[in-house]
């Protein structure tokens, strides 16, 4: 179970408890830069995939023959999508309020807040992000990874008040997904 930004493991204890009562083994963690984790700079889902892969490897060691599914909220849903693309043994995904593409999300939020076009801001942000992290904003594009998740089931959840990520991001991901 993955909390979103500025998520903490404690924020998902209720859902973890409910899953345990249904006889699931549950694990949760905080990714980089979040409370209860190290203070490394976040990369908006790109390097956080490493923490997800470490968590999956830990679960496999602790529970032999484990069948693994992921639940992620917000950025946790993005990390689940990106990480699941490289981990074919993950069987199912519950994705609450993910964004479909980081560049689109940034442009929309800049336009919403400033009432100015977001594209110039995204270009400058992309340059700074590349200088600081060594990654491109395009590397955090869940919609580009959907094909690698097929034929595994994806369940999208998204509330109308889930700012800063609008509902159309989950609809866009759902519409582009060809799996169950």
């Amino acid at each position: 179970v993955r909390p979103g930004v500025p998520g903490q493991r404690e924020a998902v204890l209720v859902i973890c408890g409910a899953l345990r009562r249904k006889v699931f083994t549950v694990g949760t963690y905080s990714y980089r830069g979040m409370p209860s984790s190290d203070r490394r700079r976040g990369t908006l889902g790109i390097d956080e995939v490493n923490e997800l892969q470490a968590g999956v490897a830990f679960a496999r060691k602790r529970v032999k023959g484990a069948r693994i599914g992921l639940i992620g909220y917000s950025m946790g849903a993005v990390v689940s999508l990106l990480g699941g693309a490289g981990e074919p043994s993950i069987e199912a995904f519950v994705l609450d309020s993910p964004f479909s593409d980081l560049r689109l999300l940034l442009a929309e939020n800049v336009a919403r807040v400033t009432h100015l076009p977001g594209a110039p801001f995204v270009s400058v942000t992309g340059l700074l992000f590349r200088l600081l992290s060594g990654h491109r904003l395009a590397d955090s594009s869940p919609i580009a990874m959907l094909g690698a998740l097929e034929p595994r089931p994806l369940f999208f959840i998204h509330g109308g008040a889930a700012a800063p990520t609008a509902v159309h991001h989950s609809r866009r991901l759902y519409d582009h997904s060809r799996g169950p």
Side-chain angles (χ1 to χ4, degrees):
V1 178
R2 292 284 322 229
V5 173
Q8 298 181 53
R9 290 179 295 212
E10 296 81 9
V12 296
L13 289 178
V14 172
I15 189 75
C16 290
L19 290 168
R20 291 226 9 121
R21 284 190 295 280
K22 297 291 182 182
V23 195
F24 288 97
T25 301
V26 179
T28 183
Y29 66 98
S30 294
Y31 52 82
R32 65 182 59 220
M34 295 294 114
S36 303
S37 187
D38 63 29
R39 289 296 186 199
R40 286 184 290 168
R41 179 178 291 124
T43 59
L44 302 170
I46 300 165
D47 286 337
E48 289 80 358
V49 166
N50 298 325
E51 284 100 12
L52 172 66
Q53 291 168 342
V56 168
F58 179 80
R60 292 217 181 280
K61 281 185 182 178
R62 297 285 300 225
V63 182
K64 298 297 180 204
R67 298 179 67 198
I68 296 179
L70 300 177
I71 300 174
Y73 301 90
S74 188
M75 181 61 73
V78 169
V79 172
S80 295
L81 276 165
L82 296 173
E87 183 65 54
S89 65
I90 296 171
E91 296 184 39
F93 301 81
V94 176
L95 307 161
D96 189 331
S97 306
F99 58 78
S100 59
D101 182 85
L102 180 57
R103 294 165 299 181
L104 176 62
L105 178 73
L106 289 172
E108 290 171 352
N109 280 298
V110 166
R112 180 178 53 83
V113 171
T114 66
H115 305 289
L116 296 170
F121 174 82
V122 173
S123 296
V124 171
T125 301
L127 179 62
L128 289 172
F129 185 69
R130 184 129 192 194
L131 291 171
L132 292 172
S133 72
H135 297 290
R136 298 174 311 122
L137 292 176
D139 295 337
S140 188
S141 179
I143 201 161
M145 304 305 282
L146 282 175
L149 297 172
E150 296 171 6
R152 297 172 282 173
L154 308 175
F155 182 67
F156 293 98
I157 302 168
H158 207 121
T165 306
V167 172
H168 75 88
H169 283 270
S170 284
R171 287 189 180 130
R172 187 171 179 234
L173 288 165
Y174 175 81
D175 289 343
H176 281 81
S177 176
R178 294 188 304 259

